Amino acid sequence: MSDPIPFRPFVPGTQPALNTPAYLSTGKRYPLRAPHRMPQTITETTGPVFSPALFPPSADLTRNTTGQAALGERIIVAGTITDEDGRPVPNTMVEVWQANATGRYDHPGDQHDAPLDPNFRGVGRVFTDAAGRYSFISIRPGAYPWPNHRNAWRPTHIHFSYFGSAFATRLVTQMYFPGDPLLALDPIFNGVPDPAARDRLVAAFDLDITQPDFALGYRFDVVLRGRGATPMEG
Amino acid sequence: MSTATASQTIGPYWHLIEDESWADLTRFGATGERIILTGTIRDGDGAPCPGTCVEIWQADPAASDSFPGFGRANTDADGTFRFVTLRPGPMPGLGNTLQAPHIAIRIFARGLMAGVVTRAYFEGDALNDSDPLLTSIDDPALRGTLVAGQDAPGVWRLDIRLQGDGETLFLDV
């Protein structure tokens, strides 16, 4: 059996440091020791395959809770998932979760004094098509306070979970909205050192995704790790 | 070309996507040697980490319609996770090597800007002494942080310390 082709290491600065002091909860949780370097094996270069039959998609978060319409500004989020070589990642599962329009999660741990919406649970699941494209309909989430520091507010965001083709390509991240004044103040967003990598977490308003008389559209393209050596820049 | 998208913390509200049945990898009817993999996650103060997202992946037995190979579990108020799965067998390593049976683990949590990865091997497995990863770890105490012990027949425990005394050896994969 030939050796699997490994996924490339992350480019320095493009991923957040586990030790991010401005985000206080990292203080007692980041490992002090550098991770042990090891070659990727079949364990890391393979991964789960989720079938829509067993893991049914649910792409309209404005209607998937009770069937009644959720309150808030309706949005469409769409994009393409590719690898670092620009190849689409087809048929991969994407999980999303978010606060409602008032900035409140339908979660017992969220005690923010903002109303829940009985028609908005804030959870969705979609799969990319053969070209790596996905889309879902939701409500623009609200900003909300958190106890990290005095008067701390999280910028408006949607949580995303991606699998890709392998254990090594797993990614959990957050999508932000353009023009949010809270971005400059947020230690989680700013925990990504490279400004270009950081800015790619901000979705782009997109008139082509926007549907007339229905919802504003935002584009959020995501790149998962690619395999093999880094190609030479052209 | 573009570099991989940056990670962000999974945060405290990821339970919205939790499905408790995912902690049982045998739920689709898989047959084989069922085991329980459990453990407690602790922080740098030794305090348990409840509400943590623990994911496992194993390349053996091969994933199929009856066995997803992947599981996800929450940690309870005591910081403890619990999976039901099938005991993996040996897996090919690089070159002509053989890897001892193991399960890959990734932990996401509030306070972790990205997932951290480790492995659970099985104490007493004859292949552990020649496993390429285990034998690449010089310090026996560190190596031991990747080896689950048997609490009872078929019940394997791997406690995980994110930081500090007895800190788990995490893997750069």
Side-chain angles (χ1 to χ4, degrees):
Chain A
M1 184 173 177
S2 61
D3 290 343
I5 301 169
F7 290 87
R8 297 202 281 273
F10 293 114
V11 174
T14 62
Q15 295 290 325
L18 290 169
N19 178 14
T20 298
Y23 174 21
L24 297 184
S25 296
T26 66
K28 294 294 183 186
R29 293 192 163 192
Y30 75 90
L32 301 173
R33 193 185 304 106
H36 183 75
R37 297 195 61 175
M38 60 171 283
Q40 292 168 22
T41 72
I42 188 173
T43 301
E44 291 76 33
T45 59
T46 59
V49 176
F50 298 91
S51 74
L54 291 178
F55 301 90
S58 184
D60 185 354
L61 281 69
T62 72
R63 295 267 180 192
N64 71 0
T65 303
T66 61
Q68 302 294 308
L71 288 175
E73 179 189 331
R74 206 155 40 219
I75 58 172
I76 299 165
V77 179
T80 303
I81 304 178
T82 57
D83 68 16
E84 289 174 294
D85 299 310
R87 286 184 289 249
V89 181
N91 310 316
T92 190
M93 188 168 80
V94 180
E95 300 169 292
V96 300
W97 70 103
Q98 61 167 90
N100 69 14
T102 73
R104 176 86 183 266
Y105 287 88
D106 184 10
H107 185 288
D110 187 358
Q111 296 297 312
H112 174 38
D113 180 21
L116 287 167
D117 178 349
N119 298 317
F120 189 76
R121 180 136 197 281
V123 185
R125 177 192 289 154
V126 294
F127 289 80
T128 58
D129 66 13
R133 294 174 301 213
Y134 75 92
S135 75
F136 62 92
I137 302 169
S138 192
I139 294 293
R140 185 184 173 111
Y144 58 84
W146 64 307
N148 191 68
H149 54 274
R150 187 185 159 272
N151 212 7
W153 293 75
R154 288 303 323 281
T156 299
H157 63 277
I158 298 176
H159 295 266
F160 279 81
S161 149
Y162 305 93
F163 287 87
S165 62
F167 183 75
T169 58
R170 183 91 174 94
L171 172 69
V172 170
T173 191
Q174 301 179 28
M175 180 201 102
Y176 300 95
F177 286 81
D180 190 334
L182 294 170
L183 285 171
L185 307 174
D186 184 55
I188 295 176
F189 175 68
N190 290 290
V192 180
D194 178 57
R198 197 158 64 219
D199 288 344
R200 283 164 47 210
L201 297 177
V202 181
F205 170 69
D206 191 320
L207 200 56
D208 291 330
I209 297 170
T210 298
Q211 287 188 17
D213 303 321
F214 180 66
L216 295 183
Y218 291 89
R219 170 168 293 280
F220 186 53
D221 294 328
V222 165
V223 179
L224 303 180
R225 291 169 78 183
R227 278 184 194 252
T230 306
M232 299 296 286
E233 294 283 356
Chain B
M1 64 164 257
S2 195
T3 59
T5 299
S7 172
Q8 296 274 270
T9 182
I10 201 168
Y13 305 126
W14 70 271
H15 305 94
L16 285 168
I17 59 164
E18 186 195 0
D19 180 335
E20 290 181 11
S21 74
W22 288 27
D24 181 356
L25 285 73
T26 67
R27 68 191 182 281
F28 297 124
T31 54
E33 184 186 344
R34 286 163 67 111
I35 59 167
I36 288 168
L37 178 63
T38 186
T40 299
I41 301 180
R42 295 180 185 279
D43 70 9
D45 288 332
C49 298
T52 296
C53 176
V54 184
E55 293 184 348
I56 62 172
W57 164 247
Q58 54 191 90
D60 188 85
S64 67
D65 287 345
S66 65
F67 184 69
F70 174 86
R72 177 190 284 160
N74 181 39
T75 57
D76 64 16
D78 300 321
T80 300
F81 62 88
R82 183 180 183 277
F83 291 98
V84 178
T85 188
L86 298 181
R87 182 172 175 144
M91 283 158 264
L94 302 189
N96 292 315
T97 62
L98 199 58
Q99 301 189 83
H102 64 273
I103 295 174
I105 300 174
R106 182 179 273 116
I107 298 165
F108 294 105
R110 166 182 78 79
L112 284 179
M113 290 291 282
V116 292
V117 170
T118 189
R119 282 185 178 185
Y121 286 87
F122 297 88
E123 187 174 24
D125 194 288
L127 286 171
N128 286 351
D129 291 339
S130 57
D131 178 81
L133 171 59
L134 288 178
T135 56
S136 75
I137 304 165
D138 293 331
D139 180 342
L142 275 182
R143 202 183 311 138
T145 68
L146 274 60
V147 182
Q150 204 167 188
D151 273 0
V155 180
W156 295 88
R157 167 175 294 277
L158 186 74
D159 291 329
I160 292 171
R161 180 75 180 242
L162 294 175
Q163 184 191 81
D165 289 341
E167 182 175 304
T168 292
L169 184 66
F170 294 101
L171 304 174
D172 180 3
V173 297

